[in-house]
Amino acid sequence: MLEKTTISLIKCDVGSLAGHHVVPKPLLNIAEKNLRTAKKEGLINSYYVFNVGDDLQLLMVHGRGEANPDIHKLAWDTFREAANKALELKLYGAGQDLLKTAFSGNVRGMGPGVAEMEIEERGSDPIVVLAADKTSAGALNLPLFRIFADPMNTAGLIIDPNMAGGFKFEVLDTVENMKIVLKCPAEMYELIALIGTVQRYMVSRVWRARDDLICAVGSVTRLSKIAGKYVGKDDPVAIIRAQHGLPALGEVLVPFMHSYLVEGWMRGSHWGPLMPVKLKDAKCTVFDGPPRIVALGFQVANGQIASDDDGKPMMADLFNDPAFALARREALEYASNLRRMGEFEPARLGIEEMEYTTLPQILKKLKERFKPT
Ligand code: F6R
Ligand code: MG
Ligand code: MG
């Protein structure tokens, strides 16, 4: 039997510097220390710690399968320790996404975002991780559709016989808590009808149709539904496999050549342009944004992230490239246009999606003063 390798990306907002802006070094150091120990002890084989805005991201490669309690406990304990440090330093929003106190075997539903994929390694397995801040999981619907279903994006859908059967999408209905699998190209129109509704339907998994090879997983949660009140958007992450009968790296990245609008941004209550940035620029500023996304590329080899001669995981910071300058420029142009509209729709989200809102209180206050027309 082939050995299986699991890629786990677990992330959490445990507190940040100068507002909801960026994870500072002392918190990254805690994550680095704990994952280094876990690697020494053999719990994980490789790791990479990074941040996107105020979200601390733990990328771990191991052989323990998805939803493994020991891996989830490692992430949970690390987030707790980092949140305590954040409290001690009086950083902003310390422990923000840690919505429960007692760990019960899996961080799903407890606040942190999770994307996990167990794979049988191919001869060579290029992986792309996407991670965004100040937006929600629906923000990745458009690129995931483009990558795996749009023949105008992914030439391989036309040219590569290995992709001829298309791809299957698992879509979550986050309102009814239901899921459905739709096959493309046959059910492409139905797929678009659902996932075009980015605030409700979200792509959670993608498989190659002809052999059910797992190709992509996304983190889909609705923090507000867990907590019952606004606690930040569920800044999404996704793991995507590329090449050799799957979309090429360039086909995975080309949807980000242009900016597009996503929900989130200031107070999780606005439409804002997604800006692809390098790791160094993954920090939110203007109107707490614009929402940012990073893409990291690496190889999974023999249960590990392929490393350099010093044992350091080799990571490609894929949006660190002038090829995404146009998208960044577009993002700023969209941002400035939208901000001209202030708090008027459609710059602001519709009332039912404004998770962070005083509007119900305002309406309550004014209720008695409304008269029949
Ligand atoms: C959005 C986000 C920020 C905050 C905003 C207000 O996801 O985290 O835009 O909503 O900075 O934050 P508070 O209420 O903490 O001052
Ligand atoms: Mg965040
Ligand atoms: Mg936050």
Side-chain angles (χ1 to χ4, degrees):
M1 229 184 63
L2 272 171
E3 291 255 328
K4 295 200 172 167
T5 302
T6 310
I7 306 155
S8 297
L9 179 56
I10 308 185
K11 60 106 222 172
C12 190
D13 181 344
V14 289
S16 48
L17 180 69
H20 300 273
H21 164 57
V22 74
V23 181
K25 194 89 173 93
L27 306 193
L28 295 167
N29 286 348
I30 288 173
E32 191 67 45
K33 163 182 76 66
N34 288 6
L35 299 200
R36 195 187 314 123
T37 308
K39 184 182 167 188
K40 259 196 210 125
E41 290 171 352
L43 179 60
I44 56 176
N45 303 335
S46 293
Y47 66 90
Y48 189 70
V49 172
F50 64 104
N51 76 289
V52 181
D54 57 12
D55 292 297
L56 175 57
Q57 310 264 353
L58 311 180
L59 173 63
M60 299 171 281
V61 175
H62 55 93
R64 291 167 195 268
E66 295 173 22
N68 178 275
D70 296 331
I71 299 293
H72 280 231
K73 185 163 188 319
L74 169 63
W76 181 258
D77 290 347
T78 299
F79 294 143
R80 279 242 76 95
E81 193 180 333
N84 287 341
K85 181 74 180 178
L87 261 180
E88 191 188 306
L89 296 172
K90 287 187 78 174
L91 293 177
Y92 200 65
Q96 182 189 273
D97 287 354
L98 297 170
L99 304 181
K100 309 266 161 86
T101 42
F103 178 70
S104 56
N106 192 310
V107 296
R108 224 177 259 279
M110 301 184 75
V114 185
E116 291 188 295
M117 185 194 268
E118 188 181 47
I119 59 171
E120 276 173 13
E121 281 180 32
R122 299 175 293 160
S124 174
D125 232 309
I127 307 283
V128 176
V129 150
L130 297 173
D133 189 35
K134 301 294 182 279
T135 184
S136 75
L140 298 183
N141 284 1
L142 176 63
L144 286 171
F145 171 78
R146 286 249 159 89
I147 294 164
F148 291 103
D150 182 357
M152 306 296 268
N153 179 93
T154 297
L157 290 167
I158 309 288
I159 295 171
D160 183 348
N162 281 316
M163 277 193 250
F167 291 86
K168 295 197 296 198
F169 289 72
E170 179 185 77
V171 176
L172 257 55
D173 176 347
T174 59
V175 173
E176 294 292 333
N177 262 324
M178 306 281 277
K179 58 185 181 184
I180 184 170
V181 176
L182 294 169
K183 187 165 176 274
C184 278
E187 296 178 303
M188 184 189 285
Y189 298 163
E190 290 85 344
L191 178 70
I192 296 175
L194 293 187
I195 67 172
T197 310
V198 293
Q199 293 167 305
R200 174 166 179 167
Y201 298 98
M202 298 168 193
V203 177
S204 48
R205 276 181 185 260
V206 181
W207 302 267
R208 186 163 61 188
R210 72 172 166 83
D211 57 0
D212 284 333
L213 184 86
I214 183 75
C215 305
V217 294
S219 63
V220 180
T221 45
R222 291 257 284 195
L223 281 186
S224 60
K225 295 259 154 38
I226 301 169
K229 62 178 171 57
Y230 179 83
V231 282
K233 283 279 173 206
D234 319 306
D235 310 312
V237 291
I239 303 168
I240 299 173
R241 287 168 102 178
Q243 304 284 165
H244 198 70
L246 298 180
L249 176 76
E251 290 164 338
V252 172
L253 298 178
V254 70
F256 299 97
M257 205 176 138
H258 293 287
S259 181
Y260 58 95
L261 300 184
V262 298
E263 62 161 350
W265 210 358
M266 174 57 74
R267 297 171 192 274
S269 300
H270 297 83
W271 292 105
L274 191 63
M275 188 156 98
V277 292
K278 60 176 181 260
L279 276 172
K280 273 217 172 82
D281 291 336
K283 50 189 181 185
C284 292
T285 55
V286 171
F287 205 55
D288 284 357
R292 308 207 179 189
I293 186 161
V294 305
L296 298 181
F298 56 97
Q299 295 282 146
V300 165
N302 307 317
Q304 314 207 5
I305 302 173
S307 302
D308 65 14
D309 295 342
D310 303 319
K312 255 182 70 189
M314 295 187 289
M315 283 287 162
D317 187 355
L318 295 164
F319 291 149
N320 184 10
D321 182 351
F324 300 97
L326 175 64
R328 291 192 272 268
R329 186 172 175 85
E330 284 174 359
L332 291 178
E333 274 165 13
Y334 296 169
S336 76
N337 282 333
L338 282 162
R339 293 324 310 143
R340 278 199 191 110
M341 291 187 67
E343 290 310 288
F344 287 75
E345 293 182 38
R348 200 206 68 198
L349 296 185
I351 192 162
E352 61 295 335
E353 281 299 330
M354 285 179 61
E355 297 174 12
Y356 191 114
T357 179
T358 52
L359 267 188
Q361 279 114 290
I362 293 172
L363 288 172
K364 204 163 147 203
K365 197 171 111 196
L366 299 179
K367 194 164 172 246
E368 300 304 319
R369 291 172 52 194
F370 275 100
K371 304 280 179 254
T373 51

